Amino acid sequence: DFRGFAGTIAAGSVKPGDTLLALPSGKSSRVADIITYDGKLPEAFAGQAVTLTLTDEIDISRGDMLVHADAKPLLSQRLQAMVVWMAEQPLVLNKLYDVKLGTQTIPARVTAIHYRVDVNTLEQLRAEQVPLNGIAQVVVQLDALAAFDAYQDGRLTGAFIFIDRLTNGTVGAGMIESAITIDTDITEPVTGSERAARLGQKSAVIAVAHDVLQQADILERALLDMGLVALVLSHAVPEQIQLLQRAGVIVLVDKPELADLTLTETTLADVVQQVVSQARL
């Protein structure tokens, strides 16, 4: 019947009776006990690894943060950071990476590179990519709400790493400068390519054999299991296709004249593999 929450105190201190907020949910509870291998503690401080038990059964997941109400961190899905790139392949705008922030791993994209630093002159240069050993100020868009601090306020909660989703290798590191809220100065409409990038795929209209298209439910499910959002149109018209392309979806049709690409494979498995290879970013 034991339920405790194990972690490391990043800053400050905690003692039984303190009221804590769980972020990002915002639910609160009081500390019942501070438990270690050697027994219970009357108080714990920054740097200590402890287990907290709470007086209420609130939902707390891996990567959540417990904080005092008067010491809330930043809470956002967008952040500005200084990053150093550590991979041969450059940092690319809108490519999907995993960001490890604290103990949680969140899919994320760099949506803007404000500038790259010339390490010899410290000049701020315009850049579309960040090369190996490059340093740049960027905007990171997380796929989920996260709690964090500016690096100057807390090194443990203000730093993160980029992880390549294919190799699982660390490709970059960052220091958070600030959270970013809604930018009301941006008035450009959202494009189909932006929506497709958000889904982690290339939007495309692909013609496949009629017999394969007849297995629409199986085909769509197989592609979804492979990480792609696709829709089969048995009786496609150009207006429908254009609307789905604006949504960033992969459209499968049986009319080559309406498609960007025609696949000659006749088996379901072969079609799935070809669509995945064409549509993955």
Side-chain angles (χ1 to χ4, degrees):
D1 61 351
F2 178 84
R3 189 184 189 198
F5 302 98
T8 298
I9 301 175
S13 63
V14 65
K15 58 183 181 296
D18 284 355
T19 298
L20 300 180
L21 293 178
L23 296 177
S25 72
K27 295 179 180 179
S28 65
S29 183
R30 288 188 302 110
V31 177
D33 289 301
I34 303 171
I35 299 171
T36 69
Y37 180 79
D38 297 319
K40 297 180 180 180
L41 298 178
E43 190 170 8
F45 301 91
Q48 287 184 278
V50 297
T51 297
L52 302 181
T53 61
L54 305 178
T55 57
D56 303 284
E57 292 287 333
I58 64 174
D59 186 29
I60 302 176
S61 303
R62 177 179 176 84
D64 288 359
M65 195 182 294
L66 290 169
V67 303
H68 290 289
D70 60 352
K72 294 180 183 177
L74 304 171
L75 194 64
S76 180
Q77 283 188 239
R78 298 176 73 213
L79 58 91
Q80 179 175 291
M82 294 297 300
V83 301
V84 57
W85 201 244
M86 301 155 55
E88 292 286 348
Q89 294 296 321
L91 168 63
V92 178
L93 283 172
N94 293 311
K95 180 179 178 179
L96 190 64
Y97 299 96
D98 281 335
V99 161
K100 190 171 189 298
L101 178 60
T103 57
Q104 62 183 325
T105 300
I106 308 172
R109 294 174 176 81
V110 171
T111 57
I113 301 173
H114 289 162
Y115 60 82
R116 181 173 63 83
V117 178
D118 185 314
V119 295
N120 296 312
T121 65
L122 300 184
E123 182 183 1
Q124 297 178 2
L125 307 173
R126 291 174 58 87
E128 295 297 323
Q129 297 182 339
V130 183
L132 173 66
N133 295 327
I135 299 171
Q137 185 187 69
V138 303
V139 173
V140 180
Q141 174 73 50
L142 305 171
D143 272 9
L145 192 65
F148 50 84
D149 288 297
Y151 185 80
Q152 64 181 14
D153 297 327
R155 294 178 61 187
L156 291 179
T157 51
F160 63 90
I161 60 172
F162 286 101
I163 299 171
D164 186 278
R165 291 169 62 88
L166 293 179
T167 67
N168 206 37
T170 299
V171 292
M175 298 185 298
I176 298 171
E177 294 183 319
S178 63
I180 299 176
T181 55
I182 296 173
D183 190 345
T184 56
D185 293 330
I186 298 177
T187 57
E188 295 87 355
V190 178
T191 65
S193 60
E194 287 178 304
R195 292 189 178 98
R198 186 68 174 78
L199 294 171
Q201 61 189 35
K202 297 176 186 174
S203 179
V205 182
I206 302 174
V208 299
H210 181 74
D211 290 344
V212 175
L213 213 66
Q214 292 294 98
Q215 306 174 71
D217 291 343
I218 299 174
L219 181 56
E220 290 177 353
R221 174 62 61 183
L223 290 170
L224 187 66
D225 289 342
M226 297 293 285
L228 300 178
V229 179
L231 188 66
V232 171
L233 291 183
S234 300
H235 305 287
V237 296
E239 292 77 12
Q240 287 178 310
I241 292 174
Q242 290 172 8
L243 187 61
L244 289 168
Q245 283 186 298
R246 285 179 57 195
V249 174
I250 299 160
V251 185
L252 302 174
V253 300
D254 59 359
K255 298 177 181 178
E257 65 272 17
L258 297 177
D260 305 317
L261 173 70
T262 299
L263 301 181
T264 58
E265 287 78 5
T266 57
T267 69
L268 187 69
D270 288 341
V271 167
V272 169
Q273 290 300 321
Q274 283 299 307
V275 172
V276 169
S277 66
Q278 292 293 329
R280 277 240 174 98
L281 289 176

